[in-house]
Amino acid sequence: RLEGARDAAAARRKAAARPRVPVLMQQDDEEDEAVQELQALAGLDVDDEVEELDLFDASDNRQGRHAIRGMLTILSDHIRAAEGHLISVGFKESLRIGTPAELDTQRWWLLGDYERTGRKLKLDMDELWYQSTTYADKNDLVALEVFNERFFEQRWHYTMFRLAGHPIKDEAQDLAVREVFTVATVLLCPEHATRSSLVFTLKLIAERGEKESGIWTATIPMAVFFNLATNDQQAKYLDTQIRRYAHDAEVARGTRRGPFRVDAFARAAGVTAERADPSTRHEIAR
């Protein structure tokens, strides 16, 4: 279905100039004030035009991208096909999906970057991550999987698309978005995530990004995001290592009992008690 929609989307691009996208949106004939507030903070204008997108085709060949040029082309084609698929279920013809961080109207999709999401959305995602991670830790689950489940159950994908100027209006559009989008981690392992590593993106980008970090660093904004996320992961490793050292020292002095336990957020990032052993060095990311 996505493949068939790709050709239709390409034909539409050639047949007409790109229309303007109204940034101030309405829901049930009433202005969504929360959306307007976030957009105003981002400096978006109601007359912003949808520009031609570079997608992955314009990325350079550094960090091994010369070896995955074919994969990058596939991802660009998939983005265009996903646009066509969403348009086919009633989204506006002006819908464009950029690579992560390519479009200002999709800046909020970098959920882990508080500078892009703004304070209000950041606090909401902080709370959702906290609830998901602590629940996953208590029940031996993967934190990102729990977060994803709750993210879509609470219909945050509706918020993502409203902010992008394309509100979800019915069940068919809801299902189409769920079919192709997910919340991913940029930490090269689908089971390792931190709050700062989360990005709302297409499933195929997430799947390929698990294997090739060059996908997450294909643009300057995403390279910055990737480095901040991996730095956060390493910080959790070092924090846990220091706590493990202090715990072991107290046990040796007899002032503390019991085994050392890694906290829920470090565990979600892939840190284990063995990796936090001060006597050895371990890599976190795969």
Side-chain angles (χ1 to χ4, degrees):
R1 185 161 49 172
L2 290 181
E3 287 75 6
R6 178 175 59 195
D7 296 335
R12 279 190 289 269
R13 284 193 182 79
K14 294 179 181 178
R18 292 182 184 270
R20 294 177 182 270
V21 178
V23 176
L24 296 182
M25 293 157 288
Q26 294 184 345
Q27 185 177 20
D28 298 328
D29 298 325
E30 294 182 1
E31 293 183 346
D32 188 331
E33 295 181 359
V35 169
Q36 291 185 39
E37 178 184 357
L38 287 170
Q39 290 170 336
L41 290 173
L44 299 180
D45 193 312
V46 293
D47 291 325
D48 283 348
E49 291 188 4
V50 177
E51 56 188 318
E52 290 290 343
L53 303 182
D54 293 328
L55 303 181
F56 287 102
D57 295 332
S59 60
D60 59 36
N61 288 324
R62 294 181 299 172
Q63 297 181 316
R65 278 185 288 275
H66 66 283
I68 60 169
R69 184 55 54 186
M71 183 186 297
L72 294 173
T73 298
I74 289 173
L75 289 177
S76 293
D77 290 344
H78 178 73
I79 291 174
R80 297 184 180 103
E83 290 173 357
H85 176 50
L86 294 176
I87 290 170
S88 73
V89 296
F91 281 96
K92 292 179 293 186
E93 295 278 340
S94 57
L95 173 65
R96 297 295 178 266
I97 301 171
T99 56
E102 187 171 0
L103 285 172
D104 257 352
T105 52
Q106 294 167 13
R107 61 184 296 158
W108 297 273
W109 293 10
L110 287 187
L111 301 173
D113 188 343
Y114 69 89
E115 288 188 340
R116 290 180 179 271
T117 61
R119 184 173 182 273
K120 183 179 185 304
L121 186 58
K122 173 191 178 298
L123 292 176
D124 288 334
M125 292 298 101
D126 283 350
E127 180 63 22
L128 185 58
W129 179 247
Y130 175 83
Q131 293 174 357
S132 302
T133 302
T134 52
Y135 179 85
D137 187 57
K138 293 176 182 177
N139 294 277
D140 196 25
L141 300 172
V142 176
L144 182 57
E145 293 178 0
V146 176
F147 182 89
N148 246 305
E149 181 178 346
R150 296 185 177 193
F151 183 90
F152 284 94
E153 281 181 351
Q154 297 177 21
R155 306 209 306 181
W156 282 105
H157 56 301
Y158 279 65
T159 300
M160 296 296 102
F161 271 77
R162 283 206 318 276
L163 289 168
H166 297 274
I168 299 171
K169 297 179 179 179
D170 55 40
E171 183 178 357
Q173 293 181 357
D174 178 22
L175 293 175
V177 171
R178 291 172 184 264
E179 181 181 355
V180 295
F181 274 89
T182 189
V183 177
T185 174
V186 301
L187 296 182
L188 308 183
C189 177
E191 296 185 355
H192 295 171
T194 67
R195 170 68 183 84
S196 64
S197 76
L198 304 178
V199 55
F200 181 69
T201 190
L202 291 170
K203 289 180 179 179
L204 188 63
I205 293 177
E207 292 169 4
R208 296 298 186 267
E210 293 170 10
K211 301 175 177 62
E212 295 289 348
S213 63
I215 290 172
W216 294 126
T217 59
T219 65
I220 292 177
M222 276 308 296
V224 172
F225 184 82
F226 177 81
N227 285 315
L228 289 172
T230 54
N231 181 71
D232 185 29
Q233 183 188 44
Q234 291 297 324
K236 285 179 170 50
Y237 160 66
L238 292 173
D239 178 89
T240 305
Q241 189 179 56
I242 293 169
R243 294 179 187 280
R244 169 72 185 268
Y245 181 85
H247 173 274
D248 291 351
E250 291 182 36
V251 169
R253 290 197 301 269
T255 57
R256 190 169 188 171
R257 295 180 180 179
F260 176 76
R261 189 179 188 281
V262 178
D263 75 56
F265 302 97
R267 281 168 58 86
V271 181
T272 66
E274 291 73 26
R275 282 177 170 156
D277 185 343
S279 65
T280 58
R281 293 176 62 92
H282 298 272
E283 294 293 330
I284 299 294
R286 201 168 59 188

